[in-house]
Amino acid sequence: QVQLVESGGGLVQAGGSLTLSCTASGSIFSINDMGWYRQAPGKQRELVAGITSGGSTNYADSVKGRFTISRGNAKNTGYLQMSSLKPEDTAVYYCNAQGFIYTHRATPFDSWGQGTQVTVSS
């Protein structure tokens, strides 16, 4: 089973910056896609940013120009750089990874981290 762990959340003032990290562990053969999602109280979970194994990225309209998603030199790491933070960015942020684990025939996986709280004060 693939385990994802997020870190870097916390309390920041409006206009500030924060970087989230995601580390995956387990019998991973490959990670094809990684993404960051967020969920605010009373809201549906939404995609914030995604990145493919080829480096293609996409962002929610609400964060374009402010957030940057990337993958580290280590195969199983990902990052979300956040700047010009707004109070409406306050949410629990989740890392997601999709790919294949080691089996005789490769088995797909779709794993989520436990989430990390980001709170932006006005």
Side-chain angles (χ1 to χ4, degrees):
Q1 181 173 310
V2 175
Q3 183 73 40
L4 303 182
V5 178
E6 304 101 331
S7 63
L11 176 64
V12 64
Q13 293 183 333
S17 299
L18 209 58
T19 298
L20 306 182
S21 300
C22 176
T23 301
S25 61
S27 300
I28 301 170
F29 176 75
S30 66
I31 296 177
N32 299 124
D33 303 292
M34 297 189 73
W36 288 92
Y37 294 73
R38 67 186 181 188
Q39 187 167 23
K43 303 288 186 179
Q44 294 292 314
R45 187 173 298 186
E46 65 173 348
L47 175 67
V48 177
I51 186 168
T52 69
S53 59
S56 298
T57 60
N58 66 90
Y59 299 90
D61 289 340
S62 60
V63 306
K64 286 181 179 178
R66 300 189 297 118
F67 290 11
T68 301
I69 188 171
S70 62
R71 299 180 73 164
N73 291 330
K75 180 180 178 180
N76 299 333
T77 59
Y79 303 93
L80 183 68
Q81 294 177 290
M82 305 182 292
S83 62
S84 301
L85 284 162
K86 306 173 181 179
E88 49 263 45
D89 293 319
T90 296
V92 177
Y93 284 70
Y94 298 89
C95 178
N96 170 256
Q98 302 171 46
F100 295 90
I101 59 174
Y102 287 111
T103 61
H104 181 68
R105 297 291 293 267
T107 299
F109 75 87
D110 185 344
S111 295
W112 293 84
Q114 81 290 341
T116 184
Q117 177 71 46
V118 172
T119 302
V120 184
S121 62
S122 60

